[in-house]
Amino acid sequence: MKKILRTREFWLAVVVAVMVFATNIRAPGFATPARLADIFDDSSILIILALGQMVVILSRSIDLSMASNLALSGMIVALVNQAFPAVPVPALMLLAALCGLALGGFNGFFVWRLGIPAIVVTLGTLTIYRGVIFLIAGGQWVNADAFSPGFVAFTRIDFLGLPLLSWYAIVIVAAFYLIMTRTFLGRSFYAIGVNPTAAVYAGINVGKTTFWAFCISGMLSGFAGYLWVSRYVIGSVEVAKGYELTIVAACVIGGISISGGVGTVAGAVLGALFLGVINGALPVINISPFWQMAISGAAIILAVVLNGRSGKQSARLILKEAEHTR
Amino acid sequence: MTDLNSESRFIPDTLVKPWRTAVFSWPTLLFVVAVVLFIVNSFASPYFLSPWSLSDATFNFTEKALIALAMALLIISGEIDLSVASIIALASTMMGLALQFGVGTPGLVLIGIVTGIICGIFNGFLVTKLGLPSIVVTIGTMSFFRGISFIVLGDQAFKGYPPSFSFFGQGYIWWVVSFEFVLFLLCAFAYYLLLHRTNFGRHVFAIGNNPVAARFSGIRVERVKFILFCLTGLMSGVAAVLLTSRLASTRPSIALGWELDAVTMVVLGGVSILGGAGTIQGVVIAAFIMGLVTFGLGLLNIPGIVMSIFIGALLIFVIALPIVFRKVKERRA
């Protein structure tokens, strides 16, 4: 019990809960299960993306191309759906994930084989992937009437009271919990993030593990590409523009250390939910949506300050000498 | 991102000739790329080689390049500032607000620059006094600064800047030589002196290479970094004045995405993203390269989004090429 009280995730959960109830006081009806389910559904895509980014950040890299990857994979499945409406939707989902995997693998290859810093590679692919969308779509949009009914329905169908979109997020969160805590690969991400040299001696291939991190973030981006296009019923160059930093923000709020090795699945999920609750709460308490950006910015700064504080205290006891030299 | 391949070190028995290092240096390579681009451009479009269109070409990169100069120092010191474009938005908004209260041109310029510096101080405080990672801090302030612009402006815009204000972004000093371009060259020279000819510049390199060693050699690491954040804020403020003057309006979405363009310029200019290495010459040539690519492709009626493919590919290609060469060489040896 004491252990739980000391975790960052617990306090973040408390903050999210307090936010929900505070909003409920101003706008009664906000904390009803149906509304909360809506907010979860709205946050689902961000949750999935934050998990992908988490794996990359854990292994001391960063993937700035996730939003462009999402938009490109989404555009590809949108175009396929437009041209061949008969292709079954699960096949399209697989296609989106595979596209994302290929794009993520491209990033990972450069980081692994050529040793170019991840921020440089993904900064480049961020613009390349988005430019490619324009090329393959010829500058056109894929509008709502171009999609087959099934394409749109596969995020909306109600299953046990929740839309399928929410279920995808739940399944991926569960899978990630198992991967990150119970598998060799999952533990490797932490190992190379905490201490790459020690990881080598423990028999972990640092480069290859980083490569897998990019593959995972890419695959989730691609899958989220289908979800995004299906959910908002639009495929365009502008899809998710600037979203890459929102994803990083969700991770940072969730307590995932940008210097690698620290962070949990619960943190990433709560970080995404934190932003989701803010987005859901602002309209109902009559704050102009224009406030949203400044508030989430302030939340990120506050989260970093608080995380920085708590991290320092625990580090001081172990690394007393290193602390002086910092 | 530590290098784990412990390679045996090659120790030469003669000095490398100075002309060889000069010829094979990064700025020289970039310069060749720039010249090639210039020649290709002048063949590709008949409109390229006219003084006026070349002058126009400078406008679309000088503002970003001004920020890139300061960003280069920041990245060499091992930090980064992703909030620069948002600082432009905030500074521009503050100028617009002041305009509503009837502030004149000198006041507007002052407000723009001071807002930039204040934003830089805020970033610098969070990074150096609280010891937080700059990439995260500036992702936060990036939303925060632009968020304030959105709160002030919503979906509105500030317009009606006085005619005398338009000189900064649209005026010419002499014939086709614009004020913006001259200011950029002056700033580039000033930053060259600061980085390569002063103690402060040596400190920046020392910090980027090894902050701990720099501290033990008596360098005030935090103070130098703080100054660099202020400088980046200052240059963003200057860029805000120029851009606002050029567009003659302020919207909250002004300069959206410029932070990545500025970082691309710096990295393309041969500054190591890990810190500790880089030159101002490289950054200046990289700025010209980006200007040439976008302007040349623009003359060929290629849309901006497709140009971004070229810029992104150029970035990865230019960084990857020397590494691939080195790997091939190693394999042969």
Side-chain angles (χ1 to χ4, degrees):
Chain A
M1 189 63 206
K2 262 188 181 164
K3 225 174 165 185
I4 294 175
L5 279 177
R6 237 183 283 148
T7 58
R8 195 171 285 159
E9 287 76 15
F10 173 78
W11 290 109
L12 187 56
V14 170
V15 169
V16 172
V18 166
M19 271 168 33
V20 167
F21 286 110
T23 315
N24 197 43
I25 293 169
R26 277 288 299 273
F30 184 75
T32 56
R35 290 298 298 277
L36 294 180
D38 275 351
I39 289 180
F40 183 82
D41 198 47
D42 284 333
S43 320
S44 294
I45 295 178
L46 184 56
I47 290 175
I48 293 171
L49 293 169
L51 288 171
Q53 186 69 270
M54 176 187 78
V55 176
V56 178
I57 294 182
L58 279 181
S59 38
R60 291 197 175 184
S61 296
I62 192 163
D63 187 350
L64 293 177
S65 72
M66 286 187 85
S68 300
N69 183 338
L70 177 157
L72 178 53
S73 308
M75 181 53 106
I76 290 172
V77 288
L79 288 173
V80 170
N81 184 251
Q82 191 180 26
F84 311 101
V87 177
V89 179
L92 288 178
M93 288 168 149
L94 188 67
L95 175 67
L98 287 177
C99 284
L101 178 69
L103 297 174
F106 185 76
N107 288 331
F109 176 81
F110 276 93
V111 175
W112 173 29
R113 279 295 172 190
L114 297 182
I116 307 176
I119 188 169
V120 177
V121 174
T122 56
L123 197 61
T125 51
L126 158 89
T127 58
I128 296 175
Y129 293 165
R130 206 168 275 283
V132 173
I133 304 170
F134 184 89
L135 287 184
I136 61 168
Q140 301 290 308
W141 291 26
V142 181
N143 284 316
D145 52 341
F147 296 106
S148 69
F151 188 89
V152 180
F154 255 78
T155 45
R156 288 182 171 71
I157 298 170
D158 204 70
F159 179 70
L160 298 178
L162 282 177
L164 271 183
L165 177 58
S166 302
W167 282 109
Y168 299 137
I170 292 169
V171 169
I172 290 175
V173 168
F176 259 77
Y177 178 74
L178 291 178
I179 292 172
M180 297 315 287
T181 54
R182 297 281 184 277
T183 67
F184 179 78
L185 186 67
R187 301 318 291 169
S188 304
F189 292 133
Y190 286 103
I192 65 173
V194 172
N195 189 338
T197 315
V200 170
Y201 288 115
I204 296 168
N205 187 331
V206 175
K208 209 183 237 173
T209 310
T210 312
F211 174 74
W212 285 120
F214 277 99
C215 288
I216 290 176
S217 79
M219 194 168 73
L220 290 181
S221 307
F223 183 62
Y226 162 75
L227 297 179
W228 188 293
V229 172
S230 165
R231 160 101 193 179
Y232 299 104
V233 210
I234 181 112
S236 88
V237 176
E238 300 289 319
V239 159
K241 203 163 193 183
Y243 210 62
E244 52 276 337
L245 295 175
T246 309
I247 304 166
V248 177
C251 288
V252 169
I253 293 174
I256 292 155
S257 164
I258 206 82
S259 44
V262 179
T264 59
V265 172
V269 172
L270 287 167
L273 280 178
F274 181 91
L275 292 176
V277 168
I278 289 183
N279 292 352
L282 288 185
V284 299
I285 55 174
N286 285 327
I287 292 179
S288 143
F290 293 117
W291 280 73
Q292 189 187 313
M293 198 178 203
I295 291 179
S296 56
I300 297 167
I301 299 172
L302 205 65
V304 190
V305 171
L306 293 176
N307 284 344
R309 281 285 147 96
S310 61
K312 248 181 199 166
Q313 275 164 5
S314 62
R316 187 158 292 149
L317 294 170
I318 315 162
L319 293 167
K320 216 163 190 176
E321 281 166 54
E323 185 68 19
H324 287 297
T325 55
R326 220 203 84 81
Chain B
M1 271 162 277
T2 43
D3 191 11
L4 293 166
N5 313 326
S6 52
E7 295 153 9
S8 57
R9 192 165 290 194
F10 170 70
I11 301 166
D13 49 0
T14 51
L15 281 175
V16 182
K17 293 193 174 67
W19 65 266
R20 269 194 77 132
T21 40
V23 167
F24 291 103
S25 72
W26 191 260
T28 318
L29 187 84
L30 282 178
F31 187 72
V32 172
V33 173
V35 169
V36 170
L37 280 172
F38 191 87
I39 296 169
V40 169
N41 270 335
S42 45
F43 277 108
S45 167
Y47 307 106
F48 182 77
L49 270 184
S50 105
W52 282 104
S53 52
L54 286 177
S55 166
D56 279 352
T58 62
F59 279 99
N60 62 33
F61 71 88
T62 40
E63 290 134 6
K64 290 173 195 168
L66 281 170
I67 299 173
L69 292 173
M71 182 84 87
L73 267 63
L74 201 54
I75 292 181
I76 290 173
S77 82
E79 304 288 343
I80 196 166
D81 187 349
L82 293 176
S83 70
V84 285
S86 300
I87 296 179
I88 294 185
L90 185 56
S92 185
T93 306
M94 288 303 150
M95 285 189 278
L97 261 185
L99 183 71
Q100 311 305 310
F101 292 103
V103 176
T105 301
L108 289 180
V109 174
L110 191 70
I111 284 169
I113 292 176
V114 168
T115 308
I117 296 175
I118 292 173
C119 291
I121 290 175
F122 186 65
N123 282 332
F125 173 79
L126 288 174
V127 173
T128 60
K129 294 286 184 279
L130 301 183
L132 304 171
S134 57
I135 183 163
V136 187
V137 165
T138 55
I139 284 176
T141 53
M142 175 179 158
S143 300
F144 186 62
F145 295 152
R146 198 182 284 280
I148 298 174
S149 292
F150 270 104
I151 292 174
V152 173
L153 276 164
D155 52 2
Q156 302 297 306
F158 285 130
K159 277 184 187 149
Y161 287 95
S164 57
F165 184 67
S166 66
F167 172 76
F168 301 101
Q170 303 169 17
Y172 292 90
I173 298 254
W174 173 75
W175 192 39
V176 296
V177 184
S178 67
F179 172 76
E180 280 199 3
F181 191 59
V182 172
L183 184 66
F184 167 63
L185 291 183
L186 288 177
C187 286
F189 188 62
Y191 272 92
Y192 169 77
L193 293 181
L194 181 66
L195 182 63
H196 298 295
R197 290 284 178 273
T198 65
N199 281 342
F200 184 82
R202 304 310 302 166
H203 291 173
V204 171
F205 280 110
I207 292 169
N209 274 311
N210 190 337
V212 179
R215 162 145 318 152
F216 282 133
S217 357
I219 296 171
R220 294 181 155 185
V221 175
E222 258 74 47
R223 180 191 271 191
V224 171
K225 284 185 176 174
F226 185 79
I227 293 172
L228 291 179
F229 275 102
C230 295
L231 278 179
T232 312
L234 165 75
M235 295 315 278
S236 308
V238 172
V241 172
L242 298 179
L243 185 64
T244 311
S245 157
R246 184 156 68 89
L247 303 176
S249 74
T250 299
R251 285 178 197 282
S253 60
I254 191 171
L256 198 64
W258 278 26
E259 60 279 337
L260 297 181
D261 284 342
V263 173
T264 305
M265 259 180 207
V266 172
V267 174
L268 193 60
V271 172
S272 161
I273 197 84
L274 306 176
T279 60
I280 289 293
Q281 301 91 297
V283 175
V284 171
I285 301 171
F288 276 99
I289 288 181
M290 284 185 58
L292 282 170
V293 169
T294 46
F295 188 71
L297 294 175
L299 282 179
L300 299 175
N301 277 330
I302 290 170
I305 183 98
V306 181
M307 287 179 203
S308 64
I309 300 182
F310 283 87
I311 300 285
L314 197 66
L315 176 70
I316 295 183
F317 182 73
V318 172
I319 305 282
L321 204 62
I323 300 175
V324 173
F325 268 131
R326 207 180 58 217
K327 293 228 162 186
V328 171
K329 227 179 184 178
E330 271 167 21
R331 207 159 284 174
R332 272 201 202 142

